[in-house]
Amino acid sequence: MEIKEAQADLKKRQKEIVKALNEAITQKQQVEARIRQLTEEATMLNGEARMLNRFSGNGDKTPKK
């Protein structure tokens, strides 16, 4: 009986590991999606800043202190 119990324990542990890995993959995908979203937002904001700088006469330079 000990072998069957050990096998059952191993199967249970394998299922737990697979579940944890799947959760980690899901979290990774969510983080990657958020990074893409923030990158797109940053790109848009940089474009807007360049346009505003052009209109203000500063060109692409940062404001002088």
Side-chain angles (χ1 to χ4, degrees):
M1 259 337 234
E2 285 182 29
I3 292 175
K4 290 202 181 240
E5 289 173 1
Q7 287 174 332
D9 286 345
L10 282 175
K11 282 187 179 186
K12 180 182 177 188
R13 185 67 182 133
Q14 284 175 329
K15 286 181 182 179
E16 291 171 355
I17 290 170
V18 168
K19 182 180 176 185
L21 285 171
N22 285 334
E23 289 173 2
I25 290 168
T26 299
Q27 288 176 354
K28 178 181 180 258
Q29 290 169 339
Q30 290 171 344
V31 168
E32 288 171 340
R34 183 69 175 137
I35 289 170
R36 281 191 299 275
Q37 178 186 7
L38 291 172
T39 301
E40 289 173 12
E41 288 178 24
T43 301
M44 287 185 348
L45 288 172
N46 283 335
E48 289 177 20
R50 284 189 189 104
M51 282 181 21
L52 289 171
N53 281 336
R54 282 188 198 121
F55 287 127
S56 71
N58 289 334
D60 275 340
K61 300 176 220 163
T62 56
K64 295 180 181 174
K65 292 183 180 180

